[in-house]
Amino acid sequence: MIEVVAELSRGPVFLAGEALECVVTVTNPLPPTATSASSEALAWASAQIHCQFHASESRVALPPPDSNQPDVQPESQTVLLPHRGERGQCILSTPPKILFCDLRLDPGESKSCLQDVRFPQDEAVAPSSPFLEEDEGGKKDSWLAELAGERLMAATSCRSLHLYNISDGRGKVGTFGIFKSVYRLGEDVVGTLNLGEGTVACLQFSVSLQTEERVQPEYQRRRGAGGAPSVSHVTHARHQESCLHTTRTSFSLPIPLSSTPGFYTAIVSLKWRLHFEFVTSREPGLVLLPPMEQPEPVTWTGPEQVPVDTFSWDLPIKVLPTSPTLASYAAPGPSTSTITI
């Protein structure tokens, strides 16, 4: 019996381009004093990164699998096919890395970072071992990760005021201001709304932080009305406010760390947006406040009914990944896995 433990020392979240570091510990768990204790041997072991694409079969018609990636293992190969028997499609499978060959463990003995394990010297196999590569490869991976982090910070740190005039069919309602349109997961979307310059009275508004998932037409199971692409929306945060006689107001909507950044594939895309809904008065110059000066005390009540119009407006924004360490705290996942052979 052999126990294999794989541990991601930094956590389960990574940026594209980073080097994934995993500590593998192989142990013979039997104590030396056990009557049935004996040495255990493993012929070889390898590791690879595997990514499987899953989709709701009620909404998405997946394309046929790539004929270049057969689900049958050729007799001349000993490479594990981790996607065999799984639903969905394999969209990424890196070349396997040989960890060791002819490993023998006595009862109670264990091996880990595998520095003291003998590696095969065959030239065809040796270059695929992660422990035999030159230091330049590790330096390159580290440099790529740092560069990705710097570009991510630069893209989301740029601030510049963007102003949008909001109008309906009868005139200007107000002006919306936002200081940037690119965010990271975990940031707050802060915006201001100036209603003092409007010619149409706004009674109420709401703004929702939403994701829009769109399935491309050729992969849809059920088409929307008129053949439009199948689209679904999810609201992650919402602010609503009654704003009659309000000159200026603001809101802050947090982007959940556990949510998904925007992406695009040939099958499905995910975009972020701010979805506004406005309730405006049909009466020009609407005044719902009591007169300020009265010769004698009177009782004033507002109107029971006000004719209104409603309209909506969508403002696209971009949401990028965040620091892998920060994302690990928000959505903790297992960083250690154990298997007994």
Side-chain angles (χ1 to χ4, degrees):
M1 182 171 60
I2 292 290
E3 182 183 76
V4 182
V5 179
E7 180 181 5
L8 299 171
S9 56
R10 204 203 64 190
V13 182
F14 295 85
L15 283 175
E18 281 192 281
L20 189 152
E21 297 182 358
C22 181
V23 178
V24 180
T25 303
V26 185
T27 305
N28 185 342
L30 292 177
T33 57
T35 56
S36 60
S38 62
S39 298
E40 296 283 356
L42 287 176
W44 61 274
S46 66
Q48 63 187 121
I49 299 176
H50 172 71
C51 182
Q52 190 80 4
F53 172 80
H54 298 271
S56 173
E57 295 183 0
S58 63
R59 294 185 55 208
V60 181
L62 293 177
D66 187 358
S67 59
N68 295 327
Q69 296 182 350
D71 196 39
V72 178
Q73 182 171 321
E75 294 181 357
S76 60
Q77 296 184 8
T78 57
V79 177
L80 174 67
L81 298 178
H83 61 278
R84 177 189 295 167
E86 290 193 15
R87 300 173 63 183
Q89 290 189 350
C90 176
I91 59 175
L92 173 66
S93 184
T94 63
K97 299 286 188 179
I98 302 300
L99 299 181
F100 58 78
C101 287
D102 297 328
L103 175 65
R104 180 172 296 275
L105 296 175
D106 295 328
E109 185 181 8
S110 65
K111 303 286 186 180
S112 62
C113 295
L114 298 183
Q115 304 97 331
D116 49 352
V117 177
R118 294 181 293 107
F119 294 98
Q121 299 302 316
D122 182 42
E123 293 182 358
V125 179
S128 64
S129 171
F131 307 100
L132 299 181
E133 294 176 350
E134 298 180 357
D135 293 340
E136 293 299 324
K139 292 180 180 179
K140 180 180 179 181
D141 291 336
S142 176
W143 177 79
L144 289 175
E146 293 178 1
L147 180 61
E150 292 176 359
R151 291 191 174 182
L152 180 64
M153 290 294 295
T156 57
S157 299
C158 182
R159 302 175 66 87
S160 178
L161 180 61
H162 302 273
L163 296 176
Y164 302 89
N165 290 325
I166 302 172
S167 304
D168 63 4
R170 294 175 290 107
K172 182 177 179 179
V173 176
T175 302
F176 174 68
I178 192 170
F179 284 96
K180 63 179 186 175
S181 59
V182 182
Y183 299 85
R184 297 190 308 274
L185 294 177
E187 286 192 293
D188 293 337
V189 179
V190 180
T192 61
L193 191 61
N194 186 351
L195 301 172
E197 301 175 353
T199 59
V200 178
C202 183
L203 307 181
Q204 180 179 285
F205 82 94
S206 66
V207 54
S208 302
L209 178 64
Q210 297 181 339
T211 50
E212 177 184 283
E213 184 182 83
R214 182 182 298 268
V215 180
Q216 303 305 322
E218 58 268 33
Y219 299 108
Q220 294 176 25
R221 288 284 189 189
R222 296 175 298 181
R223 293 183 179 272
S230 177
V231 179
S232 62
H233 298 95
V234 176
T235 298
H236 300 274
R238 188 172 186 267
H239 173 86
Q240 180 173 308
E241 184 176 335
S242 297
C243 54
L244 181 63
H245 303 298
T246 298
T247 302
R248 183 185 296 270
T249 186
S250 62
F251 63 85
S252 178
L253 299 176
I255 304 175
L257 271 170
S258 58
S259 56
T260 303
F263 67 89
Y264 177 86
T265 69
I267 300 176
V268 65
S269 63
L270 184 76
K271 299 179 180 180
W272 287 76
R273 70 179 189 178
L274 293 177
H275 177 70
F276 292 84
E277 295 181 354
F278 295 92
V279 179
T280 59
S281 171
R282 294 180 183 175
E283 298 181 359
L286 176 66
V287 178
L288 296 181
L289 290 178
M292 298 301 296
E293 297 181 0
Q294 289 287 345
E296 58 185 26
V298 296
T299 301
W300 180 89
T301 58
E304 295 182 358
Q305 294 183 351
V306 177
V308 298
D309 287 325
T310 61
F311 69 96
S312 62
W313 173 54
D314 295 326
L315 177 64
I317 62 173
K318 291 184 178 180
V319 176
L320 304 180
T322 187
S323 163
T325 304
L326 189 60
S328 298
Y329 286 118
S335 57
T336 303
S337 180
T338 304
I339 186 175
T340 302
I341 304 173

